[in-house]
Amino acid sequence: MSTAANEDVLIKLFKQSHSGLWNGKGFGPKDPGKERDTTKPSWFDEHYPIIEDYPVDGLSDFLSLKELLETMKEKLPYVFRYKVPKSELGRAINLRGVQRRADHLLQKAVVSLGAGWRGTIISYGMLLYKSKKQYPHGRVITSRSPRLP
């Protein structure tokens, strides 16, 4: 599990009974650095990358994009960052026939959002942005990518 995942568990556990003590941001910044996503992974991240096909249970066949992304963020034991406009979050998603694996769900989100959107799998997490940014050490998923097996 990433440090951020452990931190999130602790914050959720203690936030209710100690609400005045938590600022909602954790023990440090969540984003590991503006350009970290494009740099060569550390030794640890290279040798212990995320589990791309991590199972994400509890998803119905029909839900909103917001429900899909929030569930993935909650259940994945590694970083999952996305920036999707509120106007897109109500979009209906049909997961019938889609394996409940992180990589397949990320691809489904990208396809449903359409051109210009990219999902990226990097050694320590997954990203979903509308961007042309290059990720030399990641695998980019676009709406044109071949469907995952």
Side-chain angles (χ1 to χ4, degrees):
M1 289 178 67
S2 74
T3 303
N6 293 328
E7 190 177 305
D8 286 345
V9 169
L10 288 172
I11 290 170
K12 285 177 187 172
L13 181 66
F14 292 107
K15 191 173 188 176
Q16 291 176 355
S17 60
H18 297 73
S19 61
L21 298 176
W22 298 97
N23 64 9
K25 301 215 186 250
F27 302 113
K30 293 286 189 217
D31 194 332
K34 184 176 180 182
E35 293 301 322
R36 179 168 181 213
D37 299 341
T38 61
T39 60
K40 186 176 187 307
S42 68
W43 179 92
F44 183 87
D45 288 336
E46 266 187 13
H47 289 85
Y48 301 99
I50 65 166
I51 300 168
E52 295 180 19
D53 61 353
Y54 191 86
V56 181
D57 299 324
L59 293 168
S60 63
D61 283 345
F62 301 98
L63 69 169
S64 70
L65 179 60
K66 179 181 180 180
E67 292 169 312
L68 172 61
L69 299 177
E70 287 178 349
T71 301
M72 289 177 68
K73 186 157 185 78
E74 176 187 325
K75 295 198 175 203
L76 293 176
Y78 44 78
V79 172
F80 176 56
R81 289 195 317 258
Y82 59 92
K83 186 173 182 181
V84 177
K86 287 182 182 181
S87 60
E88 300 288 345
L89 292 174
R91 182 182 297 264
I93 304 290
N94 179 350
L95 294 180
R96 184 170 288 163
V98 177
Q99 292 185 46
R100 301 318 200 260
R101 300 173 16 174
D103 53 353
H104 285 238
L105 295 169
L106 179 63
Q107 184 173 42
K108 183 66 176 182
V110 170
V111 168
S112 91
L113 286 164
W117 285 90
R118 300 170 125 201
T120 306
I121 300 173
I122 51 180
S123 62
Y124 65 88
M126 293 184 171
L127 314 170
L128 175 61
Y129 296 118
K130 188 169 191 175
S131 168
K132 293 181 181 179
K133 188 173 188 174
Q134 297 297 313
Y135 297 93
H137 303 284
R139 182 163 59 92
V140 174
I141 298 170
T142 68
S143 59
R144 294 181 178 175
S145 297
R147 188 169 182 195
L148 293 172

